[in-house]
Amino acid sequence: MKTIWKNGNFYLNHGFVKGDLLAEDGIIREIGTVTSCDDAEIMDLEGKTTIPGLIDIHTHGAVGVDVNGADAEGFEKICRFFASQGTTGWLGSVLTDTREQTLWSIDQYKAWKKLPHKGAELMGIHLEGPFLCAEYKGAMPEHLLRKPDMELLKEYQEEAEGDIRYITVSPEVEGIPEFIPFMKNLGMQVAIGHSGADYDTARKAIRNGALGATHTGNAMKLLHQHFPAIWGAVLEDDDVFCEMICDGRHLHPGTVRFIIKMKGLDKVVAITDSIMAAGLPDGKYKLGVNDVVVVDGDAKLADGGSRAGSTLTTGQALKNVLEYTGRSLQEVIPMFTENPARLIGVYDQVGSLNPGKAANLVVLDEEYSVIRTYVRGEECWVKA
């Protein structure tokens, strides 16, 4: 099947080019000036801005579905909602849970892979824990945190058939820095977070291969002039990608600008850290084993009041970053596309509109709202 999107304003190689895009069997073949193919479906974009599909590598759910408790149909429900927000690929973030529930979540992910799909692609799994420190646990259930257990991690990855792509660990948990190469050999990219690690311990984790920082500045010991701590370590290092939740609650807009200035636009990854309340009104919800209350869109644990994820969507996060920074669309797009794809090792497949990659496209209106979403060349959402 061939499709030509004509008269588009396409984001390509950090700029915009006017022209056409040809996809065949869900893969981009040409971009620029494309001569019509007799057997191709023609879509006229009427000059609209068209960008690569957005990628969310840290989310716990949406529209009433919690990743830890989602069955296969629940995962598909999230996929279809995410497509309406411009997300074409995501990782299901499994909050620290029991071994049995974690394995169940992995099995439901595998069952989802066998369903017919019409929405964002669930690209794999992110384990947020269980090897985290109690002091900076955030919404993690403390009684389920554990010391490093590589046999357990190997069991999870074997059950997932290699699709656990990302894991969050705390560097100060005994043995974690030394185990990072093992995790990477299992096929997991490693992020550090939920941590009060000192600077040297965080640096050791980075030297051993940690490449991400989980929701930077949140559930993390903050920078002090005498004790730069984990936050100082991840801001300083040129290779580490820093996740950011840009909902105006987790980070002040000035902090967003500061992190971007420190890291550069190529080392910041916009995430939602959304929970099952995303896309729904205020009320009572779940995050893994936790009870959560959402008031004015702000999600907090019912017990203790700690912030518990967000109700953010990628489409809103894109608008927020534009507003907070005053930067151009072409400058901030990599935070939502290229950078997350590079971090989890899938940039050869997604994250840009270069030929050879999946035809994951998002069409925006003049206010940068999503009006159409395509996944592997198939239209999966259209604004009514």
Side-chain angles (χ1 to χ4, degrees):
M1 176 183 170
K2 296 179 181 178
T3 306
I4 297 176
W5 288 268
K6 299 192 73 68
N7 305 316
N9 185 31
F10 295 101
Y11 180 80
L12 183 69
N13 300 328
H14 301 160
F16 283 96
V17 296
K18 295 187 186 302
D20 315 319
L21 185 149
L22 167 65
E24 182 178 6
D25 297 328
I27 303 297
I28 298 168
R29 299 302 181 195
E30 293 181 53
I31 186 167
T33 302
V34 178
T35 55
S36 295
C37 299
D38 292 339
D39 56 346
E41 181 181 5
I42 307 296
M43 306 291 295
D44 190 348
L45 293 172
E46 301 175 335
K48 293 281 194 303
T49 295
T50 303
I51 65 174
L54 310 183
I55 300 170
D56 192 359
I57 63 170
H58 187 159
T59 167
H60 298 280
V63 286
V65 183
D66 175 64
V67 165
N68 282 50
D71 59 14
E73 290 75 17
F75 280 130
E76 179 64 14
K77 185 177 180 182
I78 297 172
C79 289
R80 297 188 182 201
F81 171 73
F82 279 176
S84 74
Q85 306 303 307
T87 300
T88 59
W90 61 291
L91 295 183
S93 296
V94 178
L95 194 84
T96 294
D97 212 321
T98 63
R99 170 183 172 274
E100 293 73 21
Q101 190 64 28
T102 301
L103 288 169
W104 186 85
S105 296
I106 292 169
D107 286 341
Q108 291 306 308
Y109 158 72
K110 291 195 298 184
W112 169 85
K113 291 172 73 173
K114 299 174 182 176
L115 294 179
H117 307 306
K118 188 179 180 182
E121 290 184 310
L122 178 50
M123 302 186 300
I125 294 166
H126 164 219
L127 293 180
E128 193 171 9
F131 315 132
L132 302 174
C133 84
E135 186 180 359
Y136 287 83
K137 66 182 184 296
M140 299 295 151
E142 186 170 347
H143 68 287
L144 294 175
L145 299 178
R146 350 176 23 136
K147 289 194 174 358
D149 183 342
M150 294 303 104
E151 285 304 310
L152 178 67
L153 206 55
K154 186 178 177 183
E155 179 186 14
Y156 287 165
Q157 186 66 303
E158 288 175 352
E159 187 66 21
E161 299 172 349
D163 279 357
I164 299 174
R165 299 187 182 274
Y166 195 42
I167 184 170
T168 299
V169 296
S170 300
E172 69 269 44
V173 172
E174 184 180 356
I176 281 294
E178 291 75 19
F179 282 124
I180 287 173
F182 181 89
M183 298 176 202
K184 291 176 74 82
N185 285 336
L186 284 178
M188 303 176 191
Q189 187 53 270
V190 178
I192 53 177
H194 283 277
S195 171
D198 62 36
Y199 175 83
D200 291 335
T201 303
R203 288 291 303 156
K204 184 176 182 181
I206 294 166
R207 283 197 307 273
N208 286 356
L211 200 63
T214 296
H215 41 53
T216 309
N218 294 108
M220 178 179 286
K221 191 173 182 65
L222 301 183
L223 179 67
H224 183 280
Q225 71 268 28
H226 299 305
F227 310 101
I230 179 176
W231 202 13
V234 300
L235 288 176
E236 178 193 16
D237 193 276
D238 290 339
D239 294 326
V240 171
F241 290 83
C242 284
E243 294 181 0
M244 290 199 306
I245 308 171
C246 299
D247 62 352
R249 294 188 173 99
H250 285 81
L251 298 171
H252 185 280
T255 308
V256 171
R257 294 191 292 272
F258 168 69
I259 293 173
I260 291 173
K261 190 164 189 174
M262 287 291 295
K263 296 301 302 180
L265 290 161
D266 63 334
K267 285 294 186 290
V268 175
V269 174
I271 62 162
T272 63
D273 199 11
S274 64
I275 67 168
M276 67 188 302
L280 296 176
D282 289 354
K284 296 180 179 180
Y285 297 97
K286 297 288 286 189
L287 174 58
V289 300
N290 299 301
D291 292 313
V292 175
V293 178
V294 178
V295 178
D296 295 330
D298 195 6
K300 294 184 178 180
L301 293 180
D303 181 13
S306 294
R307 188 157 277 129
S310 83
T311 58
L312 186 64
T313 64
T314 49
Q316 186 59 52
L318 177 62
K319 291 183 177 182
N320 290 350
V321 171
L322 290 168
E323 177 187 345
Y324 298 164
T325 65
R327 292 180 180 268
S328 66
L329 181 65
Q330 68 190 52
E331 287 181 290
V332 305
I333 286 174
M335 295 170 53
F336 296 83
T337 56
E338 178 178 342
N339 300 351
R342 287 188 186 278
L343 174 55
I344 65 168
V346 295
Y347 187 60
D348 60 326
Q349 304 164 49
V350 294
S352 77
L353 298 182
N354 292 93
K357 298 195 180 185
N360 296 346
L361 288 69
V362 174
V363 185
L364 304 176
D365 65 15
E366 292 74 13
E367 281 76 46
Y368 304 128
S369 294
V370 178
I371 53 176
R372 287 179 184 268
T373 302
Y374 298 87
V375 175
R376 297 196 178 271
E378 297 283 342
E379 184 178 86
C380 58
W381 187 81
V382 181
K383 186 176 181 181

